Amino acid sequence: PFRTDPAQLDNPVVRLLRAMEESPLPIVARVNGHATGGGFGLVCAADFAIAAETAKLGAPEARIGVFPLMILPAMLRLIPRRKLLELCMTGDLMLAAEALACGIVGEVAPPAELDARVDALVARLSAASPIAVRFGRRALAAVADLPYGAALEYAQRLLPQLARTEDAQEGFRAFNERRTPAWTGR
């Protein structure tokens, strides 16, 4: 089951996680049922996650003699170390409420309301300036692993670029005129 092609430099999971990281759009995970192993890694790599109350999440790989190495970087960025060790070493699954308490998902909904909650989040994200969302997503990825001083330096250099965009100028005008902005995405 774990065969590799020596000519293939990146595992397909690595390629997918890199594509998620490089996506200009926010990624919303909708969790209904089980999100385990690689599926759990995708939830951790997503920008937002909403789970049904009945969902179960975790990394059960240790129970079959392996460790969730491919999804470890995504999990490390989201899950507190002790909880991460517990999940990875026991293979235990957690219910959605525990995932919410750990910050793995941002919201838990009754199964019948899951789609509506996801749609509501997507609508809120869509109401924001597309360029501000793209800049912000890129900035968050860039500063996440920087020392504090370097992160501040990066932020202060990026802000003037963002402030010069058409969307930022429209946002300022709309705020002053007390109206809803009309975003161009530029």
Side-chain angles (χ1 to χ4, degrees):
F2 290 102
R3 291 182 182 91
T4 60
D5 176 358
Q8 185 177 350
L9 298 179
D10 281 338
N11 179 294
V13 174
V14 170
R15 289 197 313 270
L16 175 59
L17 292 172
R18 282 187 177 143
M20 290 175 72
E21 180 75 17
E22 294 167 5
S23 170
L25 300 174
I27 297 170
V28 179
R30 176 191 174 276
V31 185
N32 188 17
H34 284 63
T36 60
F40 183 56
L42 295 177
V43 171
C44 291
D47 299 304
F48 302 91
I50 300 176
E53 293 169 335
T54 54
K56 292 185 179 181
L57 302 94
E61 287 86 343
R63 293 187 178 186
I64 60 167
V66 293
F67 199 82
L69 294 173
M70 301 311 297
I71 61 172
L72 192 58
M75 293 188 303
L76 273 167
R77 291 179 175 193
L78 186 66
I79 304 171
R81 184 177 175 82
R82 287 189 177 156
K83 187 62 179 178
L84 177 62
L85 284 171
E86 178 187 334
L87 289 169
C88 291
M89 292 184 178
T90 66
D92 291 346
L93 301 183
M94 69 176 89
L95 293 173
E98 186 178 357
L100 177 65
C102 293
I104 297 167
V105 300
E107 188 176 348
V108 172
E113 296 178 21
L114 182 60
D115 287 339
R117 300 272 184 95
V118 170
D119 290 346
L121 174 59
V122 170
R124 292 192 332 264
L125 292 169
S126 298
S129 159
I131 197 158
V133 169
R134 286 193 306 270
F135 260 75
R137 193 171 191 286
R138 186 181 315 146
L140 184 61
V143 302
D145 297 323
L146 291 177
Y148 188 70
L152 289 173
E153 186 67 28
Y154 179 84
Q156 79 176 358
R157 292 181 187 277
L158 190 60
L159 183 58
Q161 293 175 39
L162 180 57
R164 285 192 293 270
T165 66
E166 289 178 25
D167 273 6
Q169 293 172 21
E170 166 62 9
F172 290 130
R173 276 192 306 273
F175 177 80
N176 288 330
E177 296 168 7
R178 292 184 168 85
R179 62 174 172 81
T180 302
W183 305 123
T184 65
R186 296 186 298 268

